[in-house]
Amino acid sequence: MADCIFCKIAAGEIPAAKIYEDELVFAFLDIAPINPGHVLVIPKEHHESASTIPEVTAGRMFHVGSRIGIALKRMENFDAYNLHLADGTAAGQVVMHAHLHVIPRGVNDQFHWNWRQVPYGDDAAREAVASEIRSKLHLD
Ligand code: AMP
Ligand code: ZN
């Protein structure tokens, strides 16, 4: 897509530190890493949302992302990784070409997800939410 920075990276029109490429996906270093070695895996085809990426490509993104995660775990100071994907502005998506973050992690890296917990009031409230999601889920 014209004016999409990640389409331009995948096409080689904008420089990036390439980690991996095949016919479906492209992986490169994030320019502002949480830790050095932070990688982004993108579909070569432009998709704003992960939800429209064809299943074979989305599967390749996850496969390549987790294999890159294993490579990161072999590096000095890292023994773990996070996969992260922000879909939509409210979720923190800034670049509107879907991308999977692969973030190397180490016990002393001083990075903490700001992960909160909002408990359900009771079992009925929890089941009402589960029921609503099931009713809105269309996988075809
Ligand atoms: P998100 O907030 O999930 O949309 O993440 C977008 C990511 O893209 C951020 O972590 C940025 O640092 C990264 N980014 C933006 N422009 C570039 C670029 N030209 N090369 C590499 N990474 C980039
Ligand atoms: Zn794009």
Side-chain angles (χ1 to χ4, degrees), residues 1 4 6-7 46 97:
M1 197 184 86
C4 171
F6 284 1
C7 281
H46 182 84
H97 178 131

Side-chain angles (χ1 to χ4, degrees), residues 39-71:
V39 172
L40 301 175
V41 184
I42 63 172
K44 284 189 163 176
E45 194 172 86
H46 182 84
H47 290 271
E48 177 172 327
S49 169
S51 64
T52 63
I53 300 172
E55 191 169 349
V56 64
T57 305
R60 186 75 61 84
M61 287 172 66
F62 189 86
H63 178 70
V64 168
S66 53
R67 296 301 286 263
I68 290 171
I70 296 301

Side-chain angles (χ1 to χ4, degrees), residues 26-43:
F26 191 96
F28 56 102
L29 289 184
D30 193 301
I31 207 165
I34 287 174
N35 279 321
H38 179 161
V39 172
L40 301 175
V41 184
I42 63 172

